[in-house]
């Protein structure tokens, strides 16, 4: 018998997500390719075999009887590096102030920018590491992380350097996004700051980022300004992403399609026309149900309609000081209970499609031979328990890169 580093066996379900390497849409989002009473063999950091009744020797045998095995969660939209906190905004929200009311009065993002500018790199690393540790315990093995609490070249660089350090030192793999266009700093016009982003910031930060993002929203960046910024990013090799149509439909979804963005995120107010264009161009819709939850909103992104129109959907936490959540299991719960996704759709959205949204589906997002061994054992009898059994951490074991943590 061949020996392997780790053998997981007897799992009630191996949720493999085996299938084509492209974003799963419509009916495909319901196909988890589950193997019942299955095993996974892991060697040298990679998945080497998946199936029933595998016979391997191993010094590390994990008996997953009564449990399920899943690819590690991928969180494709976070603002994990920031300083301070904004718990005091909850009282303002309870009094009826909206997200934009708080932002326009100089709070919100601006409050966090002030704190982040004043924090040292070590302080930012310490605070973000604490969040990443929690993310990992809740099963996130890869995440995206945005800058955007600097709004000046120096601090944006500082945040992206912190991302790099964290990626090197923390078990979670972290992919960086430049989001200098997160708000317009005080004392500058939107056009002035747009030019600064294009002419000064992007050339100086592009080596530290894979993606470029813009908060395209009424009162923040217009479609026109967003387009210029994302085009400039593209010429420096940055893949476009967009915070689109969260509060008002300004045409963010259409812009995402026109510019060839890998994803458009939020999408609460997007027009049918914009969504149709996203479906045609294969732009992934990243839905962030933690945000309306934290804002006490009735309205969530219309996931049912978005999926039925043919957009491949992913889920993410949006972890930020307005929506402080490290837990992708909770996103699956909100996906089902608030946005009417099926359990299988929500699991696809939190794993394989989330990997597609950060351009990593060739390496992670499914339990398939040849992929990086980022694998979870969850203490529940079948995958439908993930959205059903909420308010607890179902993750029992985390294997990252072939190492049991
Ligand atoms: O995705 N909408 C813009 N950015 C974040 C919120 C950032 C903040 O409020 O600090 C978001 O929700
Ligand atoms: Fe965000």
């Amino acid at each position: 018998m061949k020996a392997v580093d780790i053998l997981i066996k007897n799992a009630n379900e191996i949720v493999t997500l085996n299938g084509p390497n492209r974003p799963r849409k419509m009916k495909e989002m319901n196909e988890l390719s589950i193997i019942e009473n299955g095993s996974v063999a892991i060697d040298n950091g990679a998945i080497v075999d998946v199936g029933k009744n595998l016979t391997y020797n191993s010094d590390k045998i994990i008996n997953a009887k009564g449990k399920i095995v899943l690819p590690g969660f991928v969180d494709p939209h976070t603002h994990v590096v920031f300083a301070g906190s904004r718990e005091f905004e909850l009282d303002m929200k309870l009094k009826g102030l909206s997200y934009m009311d708080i932002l326009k009065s100089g709070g919100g993002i601006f409050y966090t920018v002030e704190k982040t500018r004043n924090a040292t790199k070590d302080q930012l690393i310490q605070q973000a590491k604490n969040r990443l540790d929690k993310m990992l315990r809740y099963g996130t093995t890869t995440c995206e992380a945005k800058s955007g609490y600097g709004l000046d070249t120096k601090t944006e660089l500082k945040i992206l350097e912190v991302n790099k350090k964290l990626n090197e030192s923390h078990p979670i793999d972290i992919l960086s996004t430049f989001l200098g266009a997160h708000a317009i700093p005080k004392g500058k016009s939107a056009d002035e700051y747009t030019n600064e982003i294009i002419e000064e910031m992007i050339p100086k930060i592009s080596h530290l980022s894979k993606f470029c993002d813009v908060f395209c929203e009424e009162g923040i960046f217009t479609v026109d300004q967003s387009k210029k910024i994302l085009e400039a990013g593209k010429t420096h090799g940055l893949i476009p992403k967009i915070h689109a149509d969260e509060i008002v439909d300004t045409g963010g979804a259409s812009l995402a399609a026109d510019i060839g963005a890998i994803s458009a995120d939020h999408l609460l107010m997007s027009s049918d026309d914009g969504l149709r264009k996203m479906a045609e161009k294969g732009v992934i819709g990243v839905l962030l149900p933690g945000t309306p939850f934290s804002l006490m909103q009735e309205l969530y992104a219309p996931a049912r309609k978005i999926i039925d129109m043919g957009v491949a959907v992913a889920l993410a936490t949006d972890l930020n000081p307005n929506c402080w959540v490290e837990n992708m299991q909770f996103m699956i719960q909100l996906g089902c209970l608030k946005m009417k996704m099926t359990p299988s759709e929500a699991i696809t959205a939190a794993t394989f499609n989330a990997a597609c949204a950060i351009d990593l589906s060739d390496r992670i997002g499914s339990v398939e031979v040849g992929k990086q061994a980022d694998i979870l054992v969850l203490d529940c009898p079948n995958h439908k328990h993930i959205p059903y059994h909420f308010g607890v951490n179902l993750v029992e074991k985390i294997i990252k890169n072939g190492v049991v943590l």
Side-chain angles (χ1 to χ4, degrees):
M1 260 195 298
K2 194 177 177 303
V4 291
D5 292 341
I6 305 170
L7 180 67
I8 308 175
K9 57 181 208 183
N10 299 328
N12 265 17
E13 296 183 347
I14 311 268
V15 180
T16 69
L17 288 118
N18 188 4
N21 183 17
R22 54 171 164 73
R24 312 279 163 81
K25 56 184 190 182
M26 301 179 105
K27 281 205 195 92
E28 292 169 345
M29 287 190 68
N30 270 314
E31 291 160 13
L32 296 179
S33 301
I34 289 171
I35 300 172
E36 285 176 7
N37 198 14
S39 309
V40 183
I42 295 163
D43 207 41
N44 267 320
I47 298 165
V48 293
D49 208 348
V50 187
K52 278 180 182 288
N53 308 314
L54 300 185
T55 49
Y56 289 92
N57 273 333
S58 180
D59 288 342
K60 197 158 261 160
I61 292 181
I62 297 172
N63 186 356
K65 195 166 172 51
K67 296 170 186 165
I68 69 168
V69 170
L70 212 71
F73 294 124
V74 178
D75 189 345
H77 181 138
T78 84
H79 308 247
V80 63
V81 176
F82 61 86
S85 61
R86 308 210 305 255
E87 66 283 6
F88 55 85
E89 286 181 356
L90 181 55
D91 289 321
M92 302 159 108
K93 292 177 196 169
L94 286 166
K95 284 191 184 118
L97 286 177
S98 72
Y99 180 80
M100 276 299 172
D101 292 336
I102 296 170
L103 184 63
K104 281 185 182 144
S105 70
I109 293 173
F110 295 115
Y111 180 89
T112 305
V113 166
E114 196 60 31
K115 295 276 173 200
T116 306
R117 283 180 180 171
N118 291 327
T120 65
K121 253 193 218 174
D122 281 346
Q123 287 166 334
L124 288 175
I125 288 173
Q126 223 26 61
Q127 293 183 32
K129 181 188 172 294
N130 195 290
R131 294 164 205 142
L132 289 164
D133 288 346
K134 290 190 176 71
M135 289 164 72
L136 187 59
R137 263 183 256 135
Y138 280 87
T140 297
T141 46
T142 302
C143 76
E144 179 259 19
K146 301 175 196 297
S147 68
Y149 292 114
L151 308 182
D152 61 32
T153 307
K154 188 174 126 212
T155 316
E156 290 294 312
L157 265 172
K158 177 170 75 178
I159 297 168
L160 292 167
E161 279 158 6
V162 165
N163 283 0
K164 184 165 181 268
K165 276 242 154 52
L166 287 165
N167 180 45
E168 287 159 5
S169 60
H170 198 278
I172 294 184
D173 288 317
I174 301 162
L175 277 82
S176 284
T177 297
F178 169 62
L179 176 60
H182 197 193
I184 294 136
K186 282 170 209 149
K188 283 177 190 157
S189 75
D191 280 333
E192 278 165 4
Y193 185 53
T194 299
N195 285 337
E196 185 180 327
I197 290 172
I198 293 170
E199 274 148 35
E200 184 183 322
M201 291 180 155
I202 290 179
K204 287 196 182 142
I205 58 81
S206 61
H207 65 290
L208 287 166
S209 318
K210 175 163 172 137
F211 306 100
C212 182
D213 195 347
V214 178
F215 189 12
C216 180
E217 186 61 56
E218 192 174 83
I220 314 284
F221 291 90
T222 64
V223 163
D224 198 47
Q225 290 156 348
S226 303
K227 190 168 176 221
K228 284 187 185 143
I229 291 166
L230 295 173
E231 289 288 4
K234 264 166 79 171
T235 64
H236 284 80
L238 304 179
I239 302 169
K241 278 183 170 283
I242 309 185
H243 279 69
D245 310 326
E246 179 189 352
I247 301 161
V248 177
D249 173 28
T250 64
S254 288
L255 171 62
D258 291 340
I259 204 155
I262 190 162
S263 76
D265 304 26
H266 284 296
L267 306 179
L268 274 76
M269 308 304 289
S270 299
S271 67
D272 287 1
D273 199 44
L275 293 171
R276 207 169 296 117
K277 283 173 72 182
M278 280 178 59
E280 270 166 31
K281 289 283 172 69
V283 181
I284 296 164
V286 178
L287 307 186
L288 312 163
T291 310
F293 182 81
S294 74
L295 292 168
M296 293 175 276
Q297 268 173 222
E298 291 299 318
L299 185 76
Y300 284 70
R304 204 48 288 132
K305 178 176 90 174
I306 296 173
I307 292 172
D308 294 343
M309 285 178 76
V311 175
V313 162
L315 284 165
T317 59
D318 198 17
L319 167 56
N320 72 67
N322 173 62
C323 169
W324 194 331
V325 56
E326 285 94 347
N327 180 356
M328 284 294 285
Q329 295 166 63
F330 186 43
M331 297 308 112
I332 292 173
Q333 287 143 12
L334 290 175
C336 293
L337 304 177
K338 290 287 189 185
M339 303 197 297
K340 307 274 170 21
M341 295 169 80
T342 66
S344 298
E345 286 171 342
I347 291 167
T348 301
T351 56
F352 188 82
N353 278 4
C356 293
I358 52 173
D359 198 24
L360 275 188
S361 62
D362 56 335
R363 263 177 46 201
I364 55 167
S366 60
V367 182
E368 292 178 281
V369 172
K371 282 213 167 166
Q372 186 171 306
D374 290 2
I375 291 178
L376 309 174
V377 179
L378 267 59
D379 184 14
C380 57
N382 65 63
H383 67 279
K384 291 197 172 128
H385 273 248
I386 306 175
Y388 165 68
H389 187 173
F390 58 89
V392 292
N393 185 4
L394 294 169
V395 171
E396 188 180 274
K397 268 199 173 52
I398 304 143
I399 299 168
K400 175 66 192 172
N401 252 318
V403 177
V404 185
L405 301 178

